[in-house]
Amino acid sequence: MSLKTATKLENGRVELEIEVDAATFGAAVDAAYKKDVKKMSVPGFRKGKAPRAMIEKMYGTGVFYDTAMNDVYPSALDEAIKESEYEYVEDKIDLDVVSVGPEGLVFKAVITVKPEVKMRGHKSLKITRPTVVVTDEDVNAELTRLQERGARMVSVEDRGAEMGDTVTFDFEGFVDGVAFEGGKAENHALVLGSGQFIPGFEESLVGATLDAELDVNVTFPEEYHAAELAGKPAVFKCKVHKIEKKELPEIDDELIKDCSDFDTVEEYKADAKKRIEDQRNAAADAEVDEKIADGLAKCLKADIPAAMIENTINDRIQDFAYRLQSQGLSMDLYLQYTGMDANAFRESFREQAEKQVKVRLALEYVVKTDKISVSDEELEAEFAKFAEQYGMEVEQVKAAIPAAALSEDIAVEKAMKFIRSKATITTEGEDAE
């Protein structure tokens, strides 16, 4: 098997002319005979026992060619693609037989390949990194959240309900004097001011006292989800059973000991400051990487085949569907909830998919032109990391992830670090050197 010619066409397509030699094709035809003869009937012979020459005389010399071609072309095409040194993009393959017979098979295959890439300016990117500042207010906010976690609910009996209180009550709603479906509950706990009920309801409970019975008069919003209630006045008959307020503890060493792994307020504050700083530094670094990716995409010049974008969109949709499944949702149900149709949902991924393809092509260009390699030690370390992450044996990971693909991903990551090392990165408010 050999590649005769490789002709570049438009739109990232390449036409390969491939030859399968007589001996290889002859062996494929013989194998096709042995496979197909079992279902062929020839007068004078038991089914499946007719000689090949007799069948070919009866049905024609090419009777087994279709089966032979189907068996032989995949490996011939794979070898030809490798020989051509083009990188195949998963897409429709157009096949056309040039000649077939005892002398062998010649066919053409039109495939989609990765584009030629040109880059300019990718080693001199100028990036601004967000300033990372942690204020006393940020740290105090962490203390307040800890204080909230240590809060306890205290019954209120000597005053009416106030905003922020939790009121436990029964209610039943009526429109035009008739109770409506879904408008009744018992011992419902509501934090006044939380906005859980329709406008005006929670405010009407302010001042209500323990065991009080009262009517709450409200009007449903015009855009209310239940059309039969939208815009209509309603009366809710309510009975208050319990009023509670949140009592916050003092922010002191005792609170810190009870609600954290630290012993003093100062220790907690120091840890909180470092945690916030680490989080914001990580976010700032992620923003820098995103800006570098944007810069790489702009530096790229390439005629990208549509199939590369569509394949990336397919991958993103599949990942999204897997995440939905982990939450017990199907894609159809998600689209129904969001009111999106399948086409609009697909298009929502296009912009990021285009960027992803451009950045990957740019980084692969860097790997190639700057001769970035991956050592056996780096590859083994990555396999070991996956094994630890998923609780698997290393050999199981190796069986699931092709070494060549993983090596390419590691090389791309190294290329990103290389580009970052070449970029001029300044913090907001500072002048570039």
Side-chain angles (χ1 to χ4, degrees), residues 88-266:
Y88 168 65
V89 174
E90 188 174 340
D91 192 20
K92 175 186 175 184
I93 299 175
D94 296 324
L95 296 172
D96 185 33
V97 176
V98 177
S99 62
V100 60
E103 66 282 359
L105 167 69
V106 177
F107 68 96
K108 290 182 178 180
V110 178
I111 63 173
T112 301
V113 300
K114 286 186 177 180
E116 292 182 6
V117 170
K118 294 181 180 180
M119 296 285 290
R120 184 176 180 181
H122 59 290
K123 293 183 184 179
S124 56
L125 298 175
K126 298 185 186 302
I127 306 297
T128 302
R129 186 179 189 272
T131 303
V132 173
V133 177
V134 180
T135 66
D136 289 342
E137 287 76 12
D138 295 325
V139 175
N140 289 335
E142 288 293 304
L143 283 170
T144 299
R145 278 189 279 274
L146 190 70
Q147 186 184 37
E148 288 282 345
R149 290 209 303 270
R152 65 191 186 98
M153 301 303 293
V154 178
S155 293
V156 174
E157 298 179 357
D158 59 350
R159 63 166 174 81
E162 297 177 355
M163 282 294 179
D165 288 346
T166 298
V167 178
T168 302
F169 65 110
D170 302 338
F171 66 85
E172 185 172 16
F174 298 83
V175 171
D176 296 330
V178 179
F180 56 86
E181 186 177 354
K184 182 178 181 179
E186 295 181 354
N187 291 312
H188 183 86
L190 173 66
V191 178
L192 300 188
S194 62
Q196 292 183 32
F197 278 43
I198 61 176
F201 191 103
E202 295 171 27
E203 291 81 356
S204 297
L205 290 180
V206 172
T209 55
L210 193 63
D211 296 325
E213 296 185 19
L214 67 156
D215 290 348
V216 173
N217 293 279
V218 290
T219 300
F220 282 99
E222 293 290 342
E223 66 278 6
Y224 195 66
H225 63 85
E228 69 277 9
L229 299 176
K232 293 186 177 180
V235 177
F236 284 85
K237 294 188 176 298
C238 305
K239 179 174 176 57
V240 177
H241 294 301
K242 186 164 55 175
I243 302 171
E244 297 173 298
K245 67 176 181 179
K246 185 183 291 184
E247 189 174 86
L248 297 174
E250 289 293 325
I251 298 176
D252 55 20
D253 292 348
E254 290 305 313
L255 172 67
I256 299 301
K257 290 177 183 177
D258 290 343
C259 297
S260 77
D261 295 328
F262 299 92
D263 293 326
T264 68
V265 173
E266 291 307 312

